[in-house]
Each structure stands twice: as C-alpha cells, then as structure tokens.
Amino acid sequence: MSAVVEPRLDRRVPWFEGDVPAEKVPEKYRLSRAFVPKGRYLDPEFLKLELEKVFTRTWLMACRLEELPGVGCFVEYEIGGHSILIVREARDSIRAYFNACRHRGTRLARGRGRVGSLICPFHGWRWNLDGSIRLVLDREEFVPRSDDDLGLVQVRAEQWGGFVFINMDPDAKPLLEYLDPIPRIFAPFQFEHMRYRWHKSVLLPCNWKTALDGFLEAYHVAGTHPQLYRFDKSNTNIASMKELEARIWAPTTVYERHAHYSSVGQKKETTPDNAAKDPTNRGTGGVTDERLSVALSVQYIADDMRGLENERSWRAAEALKTADVPEGMTAGQYYLQLYRELSLAEGYDWPVITPEQWAEAGTAWNVFPNTILLPNQGSVFGYRARPNGLDPDSCLFEIFSLDQVPVADYDKKRDFQPQFFEDFREADLGEIFTQDLTNAKEVTVGMHSPSFDGHRLSEEQEMTIYNHHRVADRFLWTD
C-alpha cells in the first residue's frame, strides 16, 4: 500500500522515497515550498520533455470498454506525435498498437470504427486484429523479413473500472499497481457498471495542466461559482464578505503518485479536525427548510451539470421536499435512503457505502498524469487533458459523465458517439463548467505577465497541483 500524507499536512513539502532531489532539476523548473515555476506551463521545451518522458512512460486512460462493443471495433488515442489504436481483437481481448504501417509508416486508421482487418490506405498491406501480418503485396520483391518482424508493434493495454489504459513503456509496472490505492478506494462505486451519459471535447487556450488545475481544488468555488450555495442560482455576482466567511474548505490528501481533495465543511476555523467528506452534508444557503435545502442542492447539479446526479437522484430530491423525515435522521440522510430505495426498486445494484468509505473516497482525484475522476454512487464525472500539438498554450480538454446502469443492462451494447467543439461556449456545458473554462484564457494571459513567476499554492487546499509536478519530476529528470 502506498504511503499517505493525511489532509492536514505535517510535512509542508510532500516527499516520498524515490522522489528526485531538487538539485537534479534545472533551477528554472525547480519546485520549492508550495511554489511551481511558471516555465513548467509556458516553455515549449518543457512541453517537449513531458511528451518525451512523461506521456510515453505512464498509464494513460484511453477509452471505455463500451467504446469497443464488438470484435474489430477500434478507438484511436493521440498524444503528442503518437497515435495508438486500441482494438477489440476478440470477445475477451483488447489490444493496442502503434498506429503505423510497417511499410512506409502510414497511419492505418483514424478516429473510431469497426474493421475486419487493419488495412493500410496507401499500399494495401493488411494485418489481422491480433497484429500479425496478413498481406504484403508483391512480398517477393522485398528483402526477406519474418512475419514476427512485420507484425504491428504492440503497446501495453490493461483495464480497470471499465476503462482501457495504455502505456508505451514495455517495462512499466502493472496498471493496478500503478493506480494503487485508487482501485480499492473506488470499488464501492462500481465504475465498471457505469456507461457514458455524455462525452464532450473542447479546445482550450491554455496549457494542459492549467485545464486540469482548475478541477484539482475547491478553493476556487467561492470566487468562480458564487451561485452554488445560493437559493437564487441565477445570481452569479461576486461573493459577499459574509458568503466568503461561510466558504467551503477542502483539504488535500497526497499519495505517492496520485492525490485528491475532499470538500469537508465550511471555513477551516469552523471545521473539526476529524471532518471528512459526508454526502448527507449538503444544502442551499438562505433556505430554512432542511428538506428543501438538500433537494435544491441536488437538483441544481443535476440540471446544470448533467452529471454527479441523475434522473433518479433528482426524483429522490423531489420526493424529499414534502417527505416526513423519520425521527433521528437528517434530511440529507433520508435523501440517500430515498435514492437507494428508488435504485433498488428499478433494478440497480446498490451497495451500502460506509461513512469511512465515503471519507476515504474524497471529492476529486488526480490520476497521474492527465485524468481526474470524481467518485460518487450512481453518477460520476471524469476529466482528461492532452497537449494540442507542441503549443504549450493550447490543449484538448475532455469532460465526460458516467451513469450506473441496471443489472439487466450490464451486457447491453450501446451506440455512443463523443462530441467535439472548437469553442467550449458552443458545447452546452451549463453555467458551472462555463465558469470554470472561462478561467482558462485569463489564467494563461496572466501567467505570461512579467509580474508573475509561478504558482503560490495553499499548503492545505492546493497540494494536489503541487503533487502532480512532484511526481512528474520522477519521469522528467531520471533516465
């Protein structure tokens, strides 16, 4: 089991066995206490190092199993100059290959689709789905090479939670060991029994890490999303001083490779030392009826974000508004009971998640290097960011919502197509995501100012961001 630094960090600078000593990092990229130099975001040479040493040696979440429903289905995953094909080679086998013809290097397939074999569009060479060579036109005219030598070059592909991860490093540790402790902590939430509700990709005018950073802490909520805890959700005016006093506090937990934050209560001074994530502790400011307070909070997320909540949780919230809450229960606790009863009645597997499991799961996880997952029961969010070419000020940012499906639908195939938008304002992402993504350009412009030299981070609420850079140094500055 990985070592863990608890939310209230005794050590101000996280450090784990195997970390790179500071003196091995060039000074302009060197981390210091809660400080990340801006060159790690803005320098083209740093992006080239990331593409060469980080993305080629880490496990990258490439697709969901549901995107490969039948034999011959494929998905192309692009990162930097690399194109990888993930292919369902057999009913129970997924393989991944470098997407390049062994003849002249032509890309074999683009996007997603279904094929009987992989055929080069240039000269017609063919490969079986298992990567073995099937046809070389006029083979007798070529220098003799074995079939093994002509086979497609494999990329490691392993699975967890309904996701397919790929790794270009043949010597990398196994996926489940790399993800530790995420598979154990996420187990009660049954990601493997979820399916896409929607998946949208957008181009953002910022570094790929900037896109992720905005979702790696809740410190920004009071400034960016002032309407979240208001009764009037249309009121997006800047938060008042009184509202800031009641802001959410979300400390971070740092693991050897990954990190997460947990929204545990109001401002730090009023939050107990043992506070933890509690799904029953939610509400809407200015509403005295606890039932209505909880219900409005649930329904706003369901209506605006279309994720983390679903139509069953929305119905449970609606029922809560006029329910008689049993004595000894809070409205939040009774809401979870109503949600559970609805789910069981409609054919969902719905395990009881203990308070300890909710607490350990936290709110949002950085799955190093470029994915964020938000564990929740019934519906979850995921975010993924990738560099857009060699421009450090541009990236492809993806948001997807997963909903749990009934037991009877576990093996049901679905026709699903992701959506792409060059401008996020055309993606119909709702108010909350629009507020988040609007920050991307503003952060980038400000980072280029000569008055800014780097991120100065909260030592308790933003160490998820620092931790990403600490882990990246392990790959960047070692052979």
Side-chain angles (χ1 to χ4, degrees):
M1 180 57 59
S2 300
V4 59
V5 179
E6 294 300 332
R8 289 157 179 77
L9 297 169
D10 292 330
R11 187 184 184 96
R12 294 300 181 181
V13 179
W15 183 266
F16 292 81
E17 184 178 354
D19 281 356
V20 175
E23 60 269 19
K24 288 191 175 183
V25 180
E27 186 174 359
K28 64 178 177 177
Y29 299 136
R30 189 176 301 165
L31 305 175
S32 58
R33 179 174 169 177
F35 178 79
V36 179
K38 72 176 185 179
R40 298 176 72 106
Y41 290 80
L42 305 181
D43 289 359
E45 64 185 81
F46 193 85
L47 175 58
K48 290 179 181 179
L49 284 172
E50 291 174 320
L51 291 169
E52 175 188 347
K53 295 191 172 185
V54 176
F55 289 115
T56 59
R57 297 167 61 191
T58 53
W59 284 100
L60 307 172
M61 191 270 279
C63 65
R64 294 280 295 173
L65 284 170
E66 66 186 278
E67 297 178 79
L68 306 167
V71 175
C73 290
F74 70 87
V75 171
E76 180 190 20
Y77 180 80
E78 295 182 276
I79 188 79
H82 296 287
S83 172
I84 311 296
L85 279 184
I86 300 95
V87 182
R88 184 173 288 278
E89 177 252 334
R91 186 174 181 274
D92 59 353
S93 176
I94 305 292
R95 295 201 184 199
Y97 309 103
F98 284 107
N99 189 10
C101 175
R102 301 307 307 282
H103 172 215
R104 298 263 292 276
T106 308
R107 177 159 44 183
L108 298 175
R110 300 193 66 175
R112 58 187 62 225
R114 188 170 187 176
V115 294
S117 59
L118 296 167
I119 303 174
C120 176
F122 196 177
H123 295 94
W125 286 31
R126 302 185 179 204
W127 285 265
N128 297 309
L129 297 179
D130 65 2
S132 60
I133 188 69
R134 181 175 181 178
L135 173 67
V136 176
L137 292 179
D138 301 323
R139 186 166 183 170
E140 70 279 2
E141 298 179 9
F142 290 82
V143 173
R145 296 171 64 188
S146 68
D147 283 359
D148 287 344
D149 193 29
L150 289 173
L152 296 179
V153 177
Q154 285 201 45
V155 173
R156 290 179 61 183
E158 297 180 18
Q159 303 168 32
W160 165 77
F163 295 106
V164 179
F165 287 75
I166 58 100
N167 195 318
M168 289 177 261
D169 180 2
D171 299 319
K173 62 179 61 180
L175 174 64
L176 292 184
E177 183 179 344
Y178 175 88
L179 291 177
D180 178 59
I182 291 173
R184 174 187 61 80
I185 293 174
F186 280 35
F189 302 97
Q190 304 187 85
F191 275 52
E192 66 274 15
H193 295 154
M194 295 188 177
R195 303 292 182 267
Y196 279 124
R197 181 176 178 181
W198 54 267
H199 180 297
K200 298 181 180 182
S201 304
V202 298
L203 287 179
L204 291 181
C206 66
N207 187 266
W208 68 274
K209 298 183 295 298
T210 297
L212 290 178
D213 288 352
F215 296 89
L216 278 178
E217 42 83 7
Y219 183 59
H220 73 279
V221 169
T224 301
H225 312 298
Q227 81 280 8
L228 260 180
Y229 302 104
R230 290 171 175 163
F231 175 74
D232 180 7
K233 303 300 185 186
S234 66
N235 179 8
T236 58
N237 293 326
I238 190 169
S240 67
M241 292 300 295
K242 182 178 180 180
E243 288 175 318
L244 289 177
E245 286 301 305
R247 68 187 180 275
I248 289 298
W249 187 58
T252 52
T253 302
V254 175
Y255 292 83
E256 185 179 349
R257 282 175 295 280
H258 317 293
H260 74 83
Y261 75 82
S262 294
S263 295
V264 300
Q266 291 185 334
K267 190 178 176 183
K268 175 180 173 182
E269 287 78 4
T270 62
T271 302
D273 287 343
N274 62 349
K277 179 183 176 180
D278 179 358
T280 70
N281 183 19
R282 56 198 305 173
T284 303
V287 179
T288 56
D289 185 333
E290 188 186 10
R291 299 169 303 172
L292 185 60
S293 179
V294 171
L296 290 176
S297 176
V298 171
Q299 290 181 332
Y300 177 63
I301 297 299
D303 293 337
D304 184 75
M305 302 185 78
R306 298 184 290 280
L308 280 186
E309 305 295 348
N310 53 46
E311 57 87 23
R312 289 189 325 286
S313 63
W314 195 99
R315 283 188 283 130
E318 188 67 16
L320 177 68
K321 292 177 181 178
T322 56
D324 292 326
V325 178
E327 186 176 352
M329 294 184 74
T330 66
Q333 291 169 335
Y334 192 50
Y335 157 73
L336 285 188
Q337 180 176 312
L338 292 172
Y339 187 18
R340 173 177 171 77
E341 290 170 353
L342 268 177
S343 299
L344 290 173
E346 296 177 12
Y348 293 81
D349 181 23
W350 209 256
V352 174
I353 300 177
T354 67
E356 292 76 18
Q357 289 172 320
W358 279 110
E360 192 173 24
T363 300
W365 285 74
N366 176 207
V367 185
F368 186 84
N370 67 329
T371 298
I372 297 176
L373 294 175
L374 283 68
N376 196 27
Q377 192 165 28
S379 185
V380 305
F381 272 130
Y383 314 126
R384 184 172 60 174
R386 286 179 271 178
N388 181 26
L390 296 178
D391 182 357
D393 288 341
S394 180
C395 74
L396 178 72
F397 187 64
E398 300 163 88
I399 305 175
F400 57 86
S401 174
L402 300 176
D403 281 350
Q404 190 168 339
V405 297
V407 174
D409 291 346
Y410 283 176
D411 296 324
K412 184 178 179 180
K413 295 180 181 179
R414 301 167 64 245
D415 182 18
F416 171 79
Q417 290 293 327
Q419 297 175 281
F420 169 75
F421 303 87
E422 288 194 8
D423 188 335
F424 74 86
R425 288 163 291 200
E426 298 175 356
D428 186 27
L429 289 169
E431 185 70 51
I432 295 172
F433 281 131
T434 297
Q435 290 169 323
D436 282 318
L437 299 188
T438 298
N439 285 337
K441 177 68 173 179
E442 310 312 315
V443 171
T444 303
V445 171
M447 288 177 69
H448 278 279
S449 169
S451 68
F452 180 80
D453 58 353
H455 294 323
R456 290 164 173 79
L457 302 171
S458 163
E459 294 187 317
E460 297 193 68
Q461 295 189 77
E462 295 181 301
M463 294 314 283
T464 40
I465 295 171
Y466 181 93
N467 195 64
H468 168 94
H469 294 271
R470 177 192 65 81
V471 179
D473 280 350
R474 291 180 165 207
F475 296 90
L476 292 168
W477 315 115
T478 57
D479 295 330

